[in-house]
């Protein structure tokens, strides 16, 4: 029998990370680009598909896709176009290739998806993975995060990504739909709000959404004692400094009220005997949990509802994929057999 390679994958709107049983741990920005014409293709060394950060840097020469954003995987009720499906498939094929599995290995993967992933979303993932993975199980992403850290009892996980903030209540079993909430105020929404605040206050400044995201990743804070955020943006081509402290605070804080409302809802609808335990065990993950002071700000906002304790995961980038790998390694063999794909050749 051939070797089995297990992959834990966090298929994210902005980044896709894998942790594998072969010891690979890597992350790729979830961008796929196709050269616009033959000149672009020559510039890209004759390649037909460019991935990740390289695609972003060469975006002017490429037809760009950030295929998870707004796809059925991230948003219920969406119908994926053939182009989106192809870009998701190309991204998955590429990410799986990074696992460097032997050619004849059998590949089993757990792919984390938003807590409330729709039937269409799961179908899109399974279709995209059919040629690169032998058996795929799509699992709630926040569940993977908690499983990886061994927090399975009376825990609330909040995964703040780019496209969505996913919340999930854990109580020792696989979470059910009623244990999960998703809202769309996450990293991208903060970027959009931050950009509009900059435009309003400094109409002369020139910037792209990419620059705004970089400013946010450097300075975002919801702490009352935050550092000054001074950034450089061109004005009619001339580099100029702007103070955006208040603006980045306001944009980052926009995530707090909807997250606290969702947390409170998950707590209030839980068994009353265990509510206190749950509210004192809130776990923040996802790239957005790196907003400075976020845990404290959520604790403060929860005070009027009876308080809570928030801890932030240590490795936001890999907490999801590490956990997914752990789920994969603990999954009984017969489950994998049930989800066999049509992958040709291996296995
Ligand atoms: N230091 C930071 N401060 C604030 N936000 C950050 C920081 N680092 C990354 N982010 C934001 O985190 C988001 C990405 O998080 P993550 O990689 O968990 O998302 P994702 O899994 O790709 O998205 P989703 O879960 O919505 O599909 C982006 O919006 C990014 O700008
Ligand atoms: Mg995510």
């Amino acid at each position: 029998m051939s070797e089995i390679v297990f992959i834990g994958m966090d298929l994210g709107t902005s980044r896709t990370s894998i942790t594998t049983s072969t010891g690979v741990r890597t992350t790729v920005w979830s961008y796929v680009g196709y050269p616009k014409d033959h000149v672009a293709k020559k510039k890209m060394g004759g390649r037909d598909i460019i991935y990740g950060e390289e695609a972003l840097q060469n975006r002017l020469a490429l037809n760009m896709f950030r295929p998870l954003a707004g796809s059925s995987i991230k948003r219920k009720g969406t119908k994926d176009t053939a182009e989106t499906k192809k870009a998701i498939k190309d991204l998955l094929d590429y990410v799986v290739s990074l696992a460097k599995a032997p050619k004849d290995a059998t590949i089993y993967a757990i792919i984390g998806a938003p807590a409330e992933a729709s039937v269409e979303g799961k179908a899109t993932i399974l279709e995209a993975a059919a040629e690169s993975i032998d058996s795929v199980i799509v699992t709630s992403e926040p569940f993977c995060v908690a499983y990886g850290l061994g927090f399975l009892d009376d825990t609330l996980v909040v995964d703040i990504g780019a496209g969505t903030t996913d919340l999930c209540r854990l109580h020792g079993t696989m979470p059910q739909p009623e244990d999960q909430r998703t809202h769309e105020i996450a990293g991208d929404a903060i970027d959009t709000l931050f950009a509009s605040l900059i435009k309003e206050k400094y109409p002369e400044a020139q910037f792209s959404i990419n620059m705004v995201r970089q400013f946010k990743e450097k300075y975002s804070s919801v702490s009352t004692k935050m550092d000054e955020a001074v950034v450089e943006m061109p004005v009619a081509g001339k580099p100029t400094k702007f103070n955006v402290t208040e603006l980045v605070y306001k944009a980052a804080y926009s995530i707090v009220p909807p997250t606290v409302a969702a947390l409170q809802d998950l707590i209030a609808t839980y068994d009353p005997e265990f509510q206190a335990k749950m509210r004192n065990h809130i776990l923040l993950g996802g790239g957005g949990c790196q907003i400075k002071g976020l845990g404290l700000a959520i604790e403060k906002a929860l005070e009027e509802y009876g308080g809570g304790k928030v801890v932030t995961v240590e490795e936001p980038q890999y907490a999801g994929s590490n956990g997914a790998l752990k789920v994969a390694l603990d999954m009984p063999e017969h489950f994998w057999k049930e989800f066999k794909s049509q992958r040709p050749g291996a296995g």
Side-chain angles (χ1 to χ4, degrees):
M1 205 181 131
S2 67
E3 179 189 348
I4 298 177
V5 171
F6 294 93
I7 300 180
M9 188 185 304
D10 175 355
L11 185 61
T13 307
S14 77
R15 278 169 249 223
T16 294
S17 305
I18 55 165
T19 307
T20 76
S21 58
T22 45
V24 173
R25 203 166 82 143
T26 189
T27 189
V28 175
W29 290 36
S30 304
Y31 288 95
V32 184
Y34 304 94
K36 281 181 178 164
D37 57 22
H38 67 283
V39 179
K41 186 168 168 178
K42 190 168 159 67
K43 168 179 151 76
M44 300 316 303
R47 288 171 297 162
D48 289 317
I49 314 177
I50 316 297
Y51 302 95
E53 203 167 0
E54 190 186 5
L56 191 61
Q57 273 160 6
N58 291 284
R59 64 188 180 276
L60 300 183
L62 305 172
N63 288 320
M64 281 292 280
F65 288 84
R66 195 183 183 221
L68 279 315
S71 73
S72 63
I73 298 169
K74 301 291 168 181
R75 184 176 287 164
K76 266 191 189 158
T78 308
K79 269 226 154 322
D80 299 318
T81 62
E83 279 183 320
T84 298
K85 285 188 181 178
K86 177 173 181 336
I88 294 174
K89 178 187 176 301
D90 288 339
L91 179 66
L92 265 181
D93 288 353
Y94 175 65
V95 173
V96 171
S97 77
L98 299 178
K100 300 213 176 354
K103 250 198 158 40
D104 62 343
T106 299
I107 300 180
Y108 288 164
I110 294 282
I111 301 187
E116 292 184 290
S118 64
V119 176
E120 294 83 8
K122 287 188 178 166
T124 292
I125 295 178
L126 296 179
E127 199 183 314
E131 282 176 32
S132 55
I133 303 175
D134 292 285
S135 183
V136 183
I137 301 175
V138 179
T139 309
S140 145
E141 180 61 28
F143 170 74
C144 292
V145 171
Y147 195 87
L149 297 170
F151 290 155
L152 292 177
D153 252 344
D154 303 321
T155 301
L156 274 164
V157 180
V158 184
D159 175 4
I160 304 171
T164 52
T165 294
D166 299 303
L167 298 97
C168 183
R169 191 163 70 184
L170 289 149
H171 42 80
T173 61
M174 283 299 274
Q176 300 301 310
E178 65 269 21
D179 295 316
Q180 327 202 1
R181 300 286 184 278
T182 291
H183 69 73
E184 292 195 1
I185 309 297
D188 287 352
I190 294 177
D191 299 346
T192 308
L193 176 58
F194 188 21
S196 72
L197 293 171
I198 295 175
K199 208 176 164 117
E200 197 180 301
K201 184 157 183 197
Y202 303 120
E204 69 282 20
Q206 297 173 291
F207 59 86
S208 70
I209 197 75
N210 225 4
M211 290 160 65
V212 169
R213 182 180 43 74
Q214 286 167 4
F215 299 156
K216 172 197 73 178
E217 291 181 4
K218 183 152 184 208
Y219 293 107
S220 70
S221 170
V222 291
S223 163
T224 43
K225 286 180 280 187
M226 71 182 282
D227 294 335
E228 288 258 290
V230 177
V231 302
E232 204 170 270
M233 292 180 278
V235 174
K238 180 175 169 239
T240 311
K241 289 202 168 13
F242 293 92
N243 188 322
V244 295
T245 315
E246 257 175 59
L247 313 185
V248 74
Y249 174 94
K250 199 166 167 188
Y253 197 86
S254 67
I255 206 164
V256 175
T259 301
V260 168
L263 277 172
Q264 184 50 27
D265 181 33
L266 281 173
I267 294 167
T269 52
Y270 193 51
D271 185 321
E273 206 182 320
F274 299 102
Q275 287 183 9
K277 204 167 160 209
M278 187 156 269
R279 73 165 69 250
N280 285 315
H281 212 197
I282 299 170
L283 194 63
L284 280 193
C289 80
Q290 296 168 93
I291 295 171
K292 291 178 207 82
L294 187 60
L296 273 180
I298 291 177
E299 283 183 1
K300 199 153 179 48
L302 273 171
E303 271 170 16
E304 67 176 286
Y305 302 104
K309 277 217 161 41
V310 180
V311 289
T312 303
V313 302
E314 274 177 19
E315 281 191 310
Q317 201 53 68
Y318 291 107
S321 59
N322 290 349
L325 176 63
K326 202 163 164 195
V327 175
L329 293 173
D330 290 351
M331 192 64 82
E333 175 68 22
H334 67 268
F335 273 94
W336 295 112
K337 298 242 151 60
E338 202 175 311
F339 294 96
K340 277 271 183 218
S341 73
Q342 302 302 311
R343 182 177 173 232

